[in-house]
Every structure is written in C-alpha cells, then in structure tokens.
Amino acid sequence: MIDPSSIELSNFLTTWYGPPNRQVVTMPEQYKNLPSPLHNWHALAARWTVPLVRNKKLLPPEEMITKNGKIIFMADPGDAIWGFDPENPSTVYEGRLYGDWVRLRETLTDFLIHNAVNEAAYNAPYAKSCECVNDDHLTQILAPMTEVAFEGWHWPRTGHRIFASESLIADVGPAMEDVEPWGNKPGFSEVQIGAITASSLEYLTNIPGIEWY
C-alpha cells in the first residue's frame, strides 16, 4: 500500500500537469476564512492555468453555502456534495443535495490529496477507460501499480479504489448494471487509467477481451 501522507501535492501536480506556469498567487481576502488545507489547495492550484479538478467543482468562497450545519466546498455535476464542519473544519462530510451527510474517515488534508489523485486519473495527458471489465483481468491491468491506502468514498458509488505508479493512476470501482435500478454488476468493474506517457498504456493492448476508450 502507498501511504497517502507520502504524496506531496506540489510535486504530484508538477509530475502530472507539468511545472506551474504562474508565480505564487496572492489569494483574495475571502479565502483567508477557509480551513487552512482548503486555502492552501486553492493557492497551489491557482499556479496552474490548466484546471486540476474537472469531474467536480471546488467552489470559491462566494459560492459556498451551508446545508444542515456543514459548509459545502465541492460539488459534482449531479447532486453529490462535500462539506466541512465549521466547528471542526478538519472533518469532511459527503452527501447529496437532497439527502443526509455522512462523515468520511479522511481529514480534509487527506481528502484533498485523494481528490487530486482521483482527478488525475481522468485529466492525465493520456487515458484509457472501460465501463465493464471482467474482474478476472484486474490483476493484469493493475500489475504495474500499487494501491493507495485512501479511505473509501461513496462517490460515484461505494467501492472505488485508487492504484498508482510513477506514471500511471487507476480508479477502479464496481461496474453498473445496464438496467434499473442501476446496481453493481457482479463480477465486473469500471476502470479509468491515466498516464503521463502514451507508452505507459501500451501493455493494456495485450489484455484480450477489453474494449478501451
């Protein structure tokens, strides 16, 4: 297992997105009221002109609202939301706009690292994905990588895990059934792999029976 605390965000982002193309950015005054991990993330991410979070949106302070005592700091295009407790800002809660909050086991610092790595699997310069991979192939697919010991999320569905190497990141979770109620498809997984170089993904072509996109 890879210890998440071993992932230094600035180095990680430089590896996956190239060196920052802006100098240190002075954040607007309203950002100073954010929990320090969130403030530090916004200040760091502002040094890249390329967006580092695309599957979700990290909200600027003026767009944050309170729901059931938690301040929403991130949302996805559906109704998934994430919030922190203003009384204990190191805690993170996951929920839905019309549902209840569930406290995650990750601290806000660990959550932001987890989110950065998750996003890189999709935003990497080179990527392959398949929504329905027979689990028999997972050992071959994940052979070059080691699992990162992140705590579990419920997004996009419970059971997703992250694997990584120096040049690859994979997000692996249960495949979805083709018909309602859209439960997990037994024996199959969805796989998203991002890579720094195209050659890092070539080994996937040697695994039969998978149609990559």
Side-chain angles (χ1 to χ4, degrees), residues 33-178:
N33 296 323
L34 297 179
S36 58
L38 197 53
H39 173 277
N40 294 342
W41 165 264
H42 281 286
L44 180 62
R47 299 189 61 199
W48 278 265
T49 53
V50 61
L52 307 182
V53 179
R54 294 179 179 174
N55 287 337
K56 316 172 203 75
K57 182 180 180 182
L58 274 160
L59 304 175
E62 63 270 18
E63 294 183 19
M64 295 180 184
I65 60 173
T66 300
K67 177 183 182 291
N68 296 342
K70 310 298 184 289
I71 298 176
I72 299 172
F73 68 89
M74 190 170 78
D76 81 348
D79 69 344
I81 52 175
W82 292 264
F84 64 85
D85 184 344
E87 300 299 321
N88 185 8
S90 68
T91 60
V92 181
Y93 292 80
E94 183 178 1
R96 302 282 174 174
L97 284 174
Y98 305 103
D100 296 326
W101 289 112
V102 176
R103 181 172 175 172
L104 298 181
R105 292 162 60 177
E106 293 178 324
T107 64
L108 182 54
T109 296
D110 289 342
F111 176 87
L112 292 169
I113 295 171
H114 188 166
N115 189 59
V117 177
N118 169 264
E119 289 281 340
Y122 296 84
N123 301 334
Y126 304 92
K128 294 287 186 181
S129 65
C130 183
E131 294 182 347
C132 194
V133 172
N134 191 303
D135 287 346
D136 292 342
H137 295 311
L138 288 181
T139 298
Q140 280 183 278
I141 293 170
L142 299 174
M145 293 170 271
T146 301
E147 185 171 0
V148 187
F150 291 125
E151 298 289 351
W153 293 352
H154 303 287
W155 181 95
R157 55 180 53 216
T158 301
H160 274 251
R161 297 183 293 161
I162 299 285
F163 298 78
S165 69
E166 290 185 358
S167 61
L168 294 165
I169 294 175
D171 182 315
V172 181
M176 184 186 297
E177 289 181 332
D178 299 328

